[in-house]
Amino acid sequence: MDNIASLFYGFGVALSAYHIGLMIVGVLLGILVGVLPGLGAPNGVSLLLPLTFAMDPVAAIILLTSIYWGALFGGSTTSILFNIPGEPSSVATTFDGYPLAHKGEPTRALSFAFLSAGFGALVGVIVITLLSSAVARFALKFSSPEFFAVYLLAFCSFVGLGGASPFKSIVAIGFGFAFGAVGMDSVSGSLRLTYGFDELLAGISFLVAVIGLFGIGELILTVEQGLELAGIRARISPRDVLSAALAMPRYWVALLRSAAVGCWMGITPGGPTAASFMSYGLAKRFSRNRDKFGTGEPEGIISPETADHAAGTSAMLPMIALGVPGSATAAVMMGGLMIWGLNPGPMLFVERPDFVWGLIASMYLGNVVAVILVLATVPLFASILRVPFALIGPVIVVICFVGAYTVGNHTFDLWLALAFGLVGYVFKKLDYPIAPLVLAMVIGDKAEDAFRQSMIMSGGSLSIFWSNGLVATLTCAALVLLFWPLIAAGLRRLPGLLSIRRGTPAA
């Protein structure tokens, strides 16, 4: 009840014309940042952070979080319309969002994405409001073994719950680990897989890889198919938005499950990208329409978007309560707090309750503003598909290469984007899943660091991953998912084997 009272105090701080205006401006800037490939929420917040140095901390954090919400919403726009993720965490949205738009229903696809994203964000803020103190105590239990177990669980979920061949999923994860290992080893300081290229010392940018894998790779396939995209001239009607909104309740199981996955991965932190992939895998595994996934199934849009925004919102909690950022964007914001003279942690709730609860209240308001603004612009975004591909194709190429160059201002990144475009093309032609590769690139280095730190702590003994109930539960769950294809095959054969054994004496 104390948290609820504090929340009402926060609404008193956030509900002013000045702060509402900042939310609107921030969301619009964030949508722009999220739509443009190569920027994304972390880069967008970093670029705009200097604008807040002269502002009051409460107003500054409201502006930055609004940019964050807008970028999360905007990231799904290019994922659905162009199959180019504007955000790393929007990659899973391309799997069914783009096919649904491809069928001639771009407004419906975007509406499902935005409405489910708003629901996920709302659940994330409610979790922050109600469980801030309890989550702070729980997160203190996490160390390197627990972090590695969470990452392992994300990887194994693709092997056990993914629709692709387990072998192909493992191969894709292996490629992701290899790409993620390029550069300087953060533990020993030695160089790995650079092959004499000085440009690879800092590693391969994930955004450059994603732009190549999904943007350029998809363009190559489209050219091969004759420059024809079905549904480009789809008629846009506001009725599609209302129809999608009325259809949302029938997916309540996917909404709640994905929100739970997102909150868990945001707080632990597994991150929005891992949350969206894991949620998509679970949805595909347990859906009655699993065969329709990848062809424009609404649940394949709703699940990753809900988890993505729930995780992105929940990641703010450990940053505020513990000073441990749950995402890259949260880390940038934490740097802003320190510049403003604020120290993230439990004492922040005591020293600056106006800041903490004003921020939490602004999350409610900012997400409502974001949903309204993106829904209002759905027809505008969807109308882009009316442009013939012969015109829009070169524009996408330019956007991809400009986005790749913007990441680090290196010409070498253009060649990397092209190389990853060829990798994406080959993977799609051979029916290898790209999602596990992307996931391994995103959190592979974190998983490696957590594993090596765990080995140092235990003197090289794997028993550390069963050293307490929490890490043991996570590790066992991961192993069950890893071997689930074999377990499921054994369970399917078990009734036949039992019947044969029962029939043997009678024969």
Side-chain angles (χ1 to χ4, degrees):
M1 294 302 294
D2 291 340
N3 287 358
I4 302 298
S6 300
L7 179 62
F8 280 107
Y9 169 71
F11 276 114
V13 175
L15 276 173
S16 69
Y18 176 56
H19 290 155
I20 296 295
L22 286 176
M23 291 178 198
I24 295 174
V25 172
V27 167
L28 290 174
L29 288 173
I31 294 174
L32 178 62
V33 164
V35 165
L36 294 175
L39 284 179
N43 290 337
V45 173
S46 299
L47 292 172
L48 298 173
L49 182 61
L51 299 178
T52 67
F53 290 166
M55 298 173 63
D56 174 78
V58 176
I61 197 67
I62 287 176
L63 176 61
L64 291 181
T65 53
S66 298
I67 293 171
Y68 184 26
W69 311 143
L72 289 176
F73 281 98
S76 61
T77 303
T78 52
S79 298
I80 291 173
L81 298 185
F82 296 113
N83 205 32
I84 303 173
E87 279 285 308
S89 56
S90 298
V91 171
T93 306
T94 64
F95 303 154
D96 280 277
Y98 180 69
L100 185 57
H102 200 270
K103 290 179 179 179
E105 300 184 82
T107 307
R108 190 162 176 257
L110 287 167
S111 299
F112 277 130
F114 296 149
L115 292 172
S116 56
F119 176 82
L122 176 63
V123 173
V125 182
I126 292 174
V127 168
I128 292 176
T129 304
L130 298 179
L131 304 178
S132 55
S133 57
V135 167
R137 291 193 298 269
F138 178 73
L140 285 173
K141 299 179 181 179
F142 274 72
S143 59
S144 297
E146 286 78 11
F147 283 129
F148 175 75
V150 169
Y151 297 136
L152 181 64
L153 185 64
F155 294 131
C156 293
S157 67
F158 265 99
V159 178
L161 302 178
S165 161
F167 172 76
K168 290 183 177 180
S169 297
I170 293 174
V171 169
I173 291 173
F175 272 99
F177 282 146
F179 292 139
V182 173
M184 183 175 292
D185 180 11
S186 60
V187 177
S188 66
S190 60
L191 298 180
R192 303 187 298 186
L193 304 179
T194 58
Y195 300 105
F197 290 97
D198 293 340
E199 294 85 353
L200 293 177
L201 293 179
I204 297 176
S205 169
F206 169 76
L207 288 175
V208 172
V210 166
I211 290 171
L213 288 168
F214 290 91
I216 299 175
E218 183 65 31
L219 282 174
I220 296 175
L221 279 178
T222 305
V223 170
E224 184 183 52
Q225 294 167 2
L227 302 181
E228 293 182 1
L229 288 175
I232 290 179
R233 299 184 181 277
R235 185 177 180 180
I236 307 303
S237 172
R239 293 180 181 178
D240 292 337
V241 179
L242 180 60
S243 174
L246 295 176
M248 289 291 289
R250 77 177 65 163
Y251 301 105
W252 65 274
V253 174
L255 286 167
L256 293 178
R257 180 181 60 231
S258 301
V261 170
C263 290
W264 169 259
M265 297 299 283
I267 291 170
T268 47
T273 304
S276 62
F277 283 139
M278 182 180 292
S279 181
Y280 183 87
L282 290 171
K284 186 174 182 178
R285 179 69 182 180
F286 295 109
S287 175
R288 297 178 180 177
N289 302 319
R290 68 182 68 177
D291 294 335
K292 296 182 179 179
F293 273 67
T295 65
E297 171 64 25
E299 195 172 349
I301 303 172
I302 291 170
S303 295
E305 282 294 309
T306 303
D308 175 9
H309 286 249
T313 305
S314 301
M316 299 292 291
L317 176 56
M319 185 271 285
I320 299 172
L322 301 174
V324 179
S327 67
T329 310
V332 175
M333 292 184 185
M334 189 173 76
L337 263 64
M338 300 177 72
I339 292 173
W340 303 328
L342 302 177
N343 294 317
M347 291 304 297
L348 191 61
F349 285 79
V350 178
E351 298 171 353
R352 289 297 302 269
D354 61 325
F355 175 86
V356 173
W357 292 104
L359 167 61
I360 295 174
S362 73
M363 292 182 185
Y364 286 95
L365 301 173
N367 279 292
V368 172
V369 170
V371 172
I372 293 173
L373 287 178
V374 294
L375 285 175
T377 54
V378 160
L380 174 62
F381 291 139
S383 66
I384 297 175
L385 287 180
R386 294 179 178 177
V387 180
F389 183 78
L391 296 177
I392 200 65
V395 175
I396 297 176
V397 173
V398 172
I399 291 174
C400 287
F401 282 112
V402 169
Y405 184 78
T406 304
V407 172
N409 294 327
H410 297 307
T411 306
F412 186 75
D413 287 341
L414 301 179
W415 293 104
L416 278 180
L418 182 60
F420 275 101
L422 295 175
V423 171
Y425 170 76
V426 172
F427 264 56
K428 291 178 181 179
K429 292 292 288 185
L430 298 179
D431 199 27
Y432 274 74
I434 296 181
L437 183 154
V438 173
L439 178 67
M441 282 196 69
V442 175
I443 61 175
D445 58 338
K446 297 180 182 179
E448 180 189 9
D449 290 345
F451 178 79
R452 294 170 72 175
Q453 290 167 5
S454 300
M455 291 296 94
I456 292 173
M457 291 169 57
S458 65
S461 173
L462 293 175
S463 63
I464 193 171
F465 298 115
W466 286 269
S467 58
N468 59 65
L470 177 59
V471 69
T473 301
L474 292 171
T475 304
C476 290
L479 293 177
V480 168
L481 288 176
L482 177 63
F483 294 104
W484 181 251
L486 297 176
I487 296 173
L491 292 176
R492 286 194 296 267
R493 295 179 58 186
L494 185 60
L497 294 175
L498 292 176
S499 63
I500 292 174
R501 291 187 62 182
R502 287 196 297 266
T504 300

